[in-house]
Amino acid sequence: MIELDDIDRALLRALALDASQGAGALGRRFGLSQPAAWRRVRRLEEAGVIAGRRLVVDRAALGFGVTVFLGVKLATKGRVSLEDFERAVTAIPEVQVVQHVLGLFDYRLRVVARDIADFERVLRRRIMTLPGVGQVEANVLLTEERRPGPLG
């Protein structure tokens, strides 16, 4: 585990809010030179603290107005391998996240759709036909708040 000082934590908080910031802007913000800020960010990447950067897309602006979380319980765990289910479900473009979980359900899926009718189509034609699918529970997302994460 890497030792983090206050500047490292501040850099991580800033990048968590906007990962597109360059080393020059980060350096100016935290009283570092551009090379010093770059070296710190690079050290955090090499240590695996920064595992990557991602683009956040506004789903509604692209026409995907509905997000649904599905709990999926496999009906026949012995006959269908988890890998078979995972391979099949990740091939569905509307399924954004696949989480293997412990509890009432075996998987938690984040599914996006244009509207409820589109979600019903994805559910009936794609998800319910996957190998081993048994019980499914849907929760429609109403609002979502972004949390700053463990670095506060």
Side-chain angles (χ1 to χ4, degrees):
M1 188 163 89
I2 186 173
E3 291 288 326
L4 299 178
D5 63 16
D6 290 341
I7 293 175
D8 291 329
R9 283 191 268 294
L11 288 168
L12 288 170
R13 278 192 295 275
L15 288 170
L17 292 173
D18 181 3
S20 69
Q21 297 178 77
L26 290 168
R28 285 188 298 280
R29 183 170 173 185
F30 299 110
L32 301 170
S33 67
Q34 184 271 340
W38 181 86
R39 281 192 301 272
R40 281 182 176 260
V41 171
R42 184 76 179 133
R43 180 176 142 264
L44 293 168
E45 289 172 339
E46 289 173 353
V49 174
I50 297 175
R53 300 179 195 202
R54 66 186 183 112
L55 177 68
V56 178
V57 176
D58 185 332
R59 292 180 193 95
L62 293 173
F64 292 96
V66 173
T67 299
V68 180
F69 293 99
L70 287 181
V72 177
K73 186 173 185 89
L74 298 182
T76 54
K77 290 180 194 162
R79 290 190 217 152
V80 176
S81 73
L82 299 178
E83 293 82 17
D84 289 341
F85 174 80
E86 289 169 9
R87 189 174 18 264
V89 76
T90 56
I92 301 171
E94 292 88 354
V95 176
Q96 300 294 296
V97 177
V98 177
Q99 299 170 326
H100 188 202
V101 296
L102 184 62
L104 179 61
F105 293 98
D106 299 310
Y107 286 91
R108 183 171 178 259
L109 311 178
R110 182 181 182 125
V111 181
V112 296
R114 299 199 179 282
D115 52 31
I116 292 295
D118 186 40
F119 168 72
E120 182 182 10
R121 179 192 58 79
V122 171
L123 180 65
R124 285 178 180 235
R125 294 185 186 167
R126 295 190 161 185
I127 294 169
M128 294 306 292
T129 63
L130 292 173
V133 169
Q135 182 182 354
V136 175
E137 179 181 282
N139 292 286
V140 176
L141 178 68
L142 299 176
T143 63
E144 184 172 42
E145 304 300 324
R146 186 168 193 284
R147 304 271 181 197
L151 297 171

